[in-house]
Amino acid sequence: MSELLDAGFDTSQCLIGGRWIGASGGRTLPVEDPSTGHEIGRIARGGKAEIEAAVDAAQTARNGAWGQMPAAERGRLLAKIGRAVEENIEWLAKLEAHDVGKPLTQARADARALARYLEFYGGAADKMHGETIPYLGDYTVFTLREPHGVTGHIIPWNYPMQILGRSVGAALTMGNAAVLKPAEEASLTALAFARIAMECGLPAGALNVVPGLGEEAGAALCAHPGVNHISFTGSLETGRKIQQAAAQNVIPVTLELGGKSPQIVFGDADLDRALPFLVNAGIQNAGQTCSASSRILVEASRHDEVVRLMSERYRALTVGAAIEDQSVGPLISERQKNIVQGFLAEADEDGLAPVAEGQMPKSAPMGGHYVRPTLYGDVDPGHALARDEIFGPVQVIIPFRDEEEAIAIANGTDYGLVAGVWTRDGGRQMRMARAIRSGQVFVNNYGAGGGVELPFGGVGKSGHGREKGFEALYGFSALKTVAVWHGR
């Protein structure tokens, strides 16, 4: 790990106004490698003072070089940063593997996604047009898209690079100045990205990064009267607090709070195509994914077949250190491991036995936070395994009789983030897409390859607002209407 952190990259500092500075009193937090449980470094423990300085720096940038930069030039700069990310994929991926416990193949994919976000948004910067509105004869009416000003971003530990790209990237595209509070469990790639952006010429204060605890730095950011918009991805409980804090300043909030996403397999489904999606969408990043497909709903006529085929794939899964690039890496922390194991213990107490588990090789470090991928069959839709977000490599298979029951089960949780439908019947495809209460519905696929172009967000307790695609750019801007009277 030491070779990844050279002398020019001090992870124990904040980036504020273009300068790398330590937190007041030299306060720091440990960085743990989830694969081993060992401390591998320190990050700054920023708090209210650092957040206030960062917001001041962002406001200065909005009134200075960054705020005056033409949209086309802004886009070129973001594209340049994206190319620099591409050049540093291996470095970023290894940082992420050690910091988050993400297998290298997945970490590389996240770094590529970050680069792609910057490429997409960079190309869109000078294409966010207003429009003219036909009105009374003596008026010309048009709209403008303007940045909110200073945007606050609190990103989680499960996909630091991807969510940084879709959130901060979109905000910068619209000309906002950003203050980023990365998760205390996973700040290294956010700090590395900030370093890359500064080296590419991003003006001082356009991006500020303050690591720290949620109840300190995060709370100060959400309550600051100089922040004009908050973007948060994380838990439902924290999302509620952030929305309450933002309400005190009457500012908009984008919330992405999790899910309990179903994939619905009908009797006519192409299982050869479906199977990789059914499994991978549940165990990717050790199941620590808001859009993870943790519920597999299967028409009764094919339930046993799907259980058999998924079980075969589960038994072939291997668990191990992220740097070894196994099928599944560790969970982020001992706390998260205990939460997942609590669900498994509850299932055991209720008489639910797994139909298949992955393999735990002896080479897996003893101190790592590992949980075997675990598959359950024929689970009642009212059970906690089928109702609550587990955030671990656990999937349940639920049988259904017909279309109506499938819809009822799919919509039977408080969440509504993502859903998948597997059927060759074109009419059923459209009926299901309309009936499922979810922000995204994928038909005969799941995730569409990640697509940065595709608006993403949920309904119900999965949150509100949209990120990714042009919808994110609308969300990170305010619409101004201008009506000019030119009569005599």
Side-chain angles (χ1 to χ4, degrees):
M1 181 61 187
S2 59
E3 71 274 11
L4 298 175
L5 304 177
D6 61 48
F9 182 30
D10 185 350
T11 62
S12 66
Q13 295 182 324
C14 308
L15 176 63
I16 299 176
R19 297 174 53 241
W20 291 97
I21 59 174
S24 57
R27 299 191 310 164
T28 61
L29 295 167
V31 178
E32 181 193 67
D33 185 339
S35 294
T36 64
H38 297 156
E39 183 177 319
I40 56 173
R42 310 287 296 186
I43 56 170
R45 183 177 174 176
K48 184 176 181 180
E50 289 72 34
I51 290 294
E52 289 181 348
V55 173
D56 287 346
Q59 291 172 332
T60 299
R62 278 287 308 138
N63 296 323
W66 178 244
Q68 296 167 12
M69 185 177 291
E73 188 176 340
R74 213 164 51 231
R76 292 188 195 106
L77 178 54
L78 290 173
K80 178 181 178 181
I81 297 170
R83 291 191 295 272
V85 169
E86 283 273 9
E87 294 167 1
N88 285 278
I89 279 178
E90 199 63 23
W91 177 55
L92 291 168
K94 288 179 179 178
L95 281 178
E96 196 85 319
H98 284 289
D99 199 18
V100 180
K102 191 167 294 193
L104 275 173
T105 296
Q106 295 174 38
R108 292 186 187 104
D110 284 4
R112 291 190 186 95
L114 170 57
R116 172 62 183 138
Y117 276 112
L118 295 167
E119 177 186 50
F120 175 80
Y121 287 132
D126 59 352
K127 299 170 183 66
M128 290 301 295
H129 307 150
E131 59 182 14
T132 57
I133 301 174
Y135 194 53
L136 302 175
D138 290 340
Y139 287 83
T140 296
V141 181
F142 59 93
T143 61
L144 300 172
R145 281 276 168 195
E146 298 184 333
H148 291 299
V150 176
T151 54
H153 305 259
I154 300 176
I155 63 174
W157 44 258
N158 57 340
Y159 285 88
M161 286 191 284
Q162 287 215 34
I163 297 174
L164 188 159
R166 81 186 193 203
S167 174
V168 174
L172 294 177
T173 296
M174 295 308 300
N176 298 286
V179 178
L180 169 64
K181 206 298 280 186
E184 52 265 35
E185 299 94 340
S187 294
L188 295 187
T189 49
L191 294 166
F193 171 78
R195 178 187 184 186
I196 290 170
M198 293 300 294
E199 289 174 350
C200 287
L202 185 68
L207 172 62
N208 306 272
V209 183
V210 181
L213 298 174
E215 59 268 28
E216 295 175 354
L221 179 60
C222 295
H224 198 295
V227 174
N228 308 111
H229 180 281
I230 295 286
S231 173
F232 170 75
T233 300
S235 72
L236 174 61
E237 294 76 15
T238 303
R240 285 188 175 120
K241 294 177 183 177
I242 286 172
Q243 185 156 282
Q244 290 167 356
Q248 299 304 307
N249 294 320
V250 196
I251 61 171
V253 181
T254 300
L255 297 178
E256 199 267 277
L257 304 178
K260 191 66 179 176
S261 300
Q263 291 195 66
I264 305 168
V265 183
F266 285 93
D268 65 341
D270 179 352
L271 287 186
D272 287 338
R273 174 169 173 78
L275 274 166
F277 292 90
L278 298 179
V279 174
N280 292 341
I283 57 92
Q284 180 175 299
N285 195 29
Q288 301 169 120
T289 305
C290 297
S291 56
S293 175
S294 54
R295 296 186 292 157
I296 308 299
L297 282 54
V298 184
E299 192 165 1
S301 62
R302 302 195 77 175
H303 174 267
D304 292 349
E305 182 183 6
V306 171
V307 169
R308 175 177 59 81
L309 293 172
M310 287 189 67
S311 295
E312 291 173 358
R313 288 177 176 260
Y314 256 75
R315 294 185 189 105
L317 296 173
T318 55
V319 182
I323 209 69
E324 295 177 357
D325 208 18
Q326 304 282 354
S327 312
V328 178
L331 299 180
I332 187 69
S333 64
E334 186 71 19
R335 175 181 178 274
Q336 188 61 30
K337 176 183 176 181
N338 290 338
I339 290 172
V340 175
Q341 288 182 329
F343 277 99
L344 301 180
E346 181 177 352
D348 185 58
E349 291 172 3
D350 293 339
L352 293 178
V355 295
E357 293 179 306
Q359 304 174 44
M360 184 83 76
K362 293 181 180 179
S363 60
M366 290 294 293
H369 310 311
Y370 301 103
V371 172
R372 294 175 188 269
T374 307
L375 178 68
Y376 291 87
D378 199 8
V379 176
D380 186 283
H383 193 274
L385 288 183
R387 185 187 66 245
D388 299 335
E389 187 174 40
I390 299 172
F391 233 57
V394 180
Q395 287 183 292
V396 300
I397 301 176
I398 304 170
F400 67 86
R401 293 184 303 273
D402 53 30
E403 206 171 295
E404 289 70 26
E405 186 178 28
I407 293 168
I409 295 172
N411 291 340
T413 75
D414 293 332
Y415 297 103
L417 189 57
V418 177
V421 177
W422 296 90
T423 178
R424 291 181 171 93
D425 185 324
R428 179 186 286 148
Q429 292 171 2
M430 296 305 298
R431 289 192 300 272
M432 295 298 293
R434 289 178 178 274
I436 294 171
R437 188 172 59 89
S438 181
Q440 289 184 324
V441 178
F442 298 103
V443 179
N444 293 331
N445 73 100
Y446 194 86
V452 306
E453 304 90 342
L454 310 182
F456 177 73
V459 298
K461 291 183 179 177
S462 285
H464 53 73
R466 294 294 180 265
E467 295 179 310
K468 302 175 66 171
F470 270 73
E471 286 296 324
L473 302 181
Y474 300 144
F476 280 110
S477 61
L479 188 68
K480 177 185 284 184
T481 301
V482 180
V484 180
W485 181 73
H486 43 72
R488 292 182 180 275

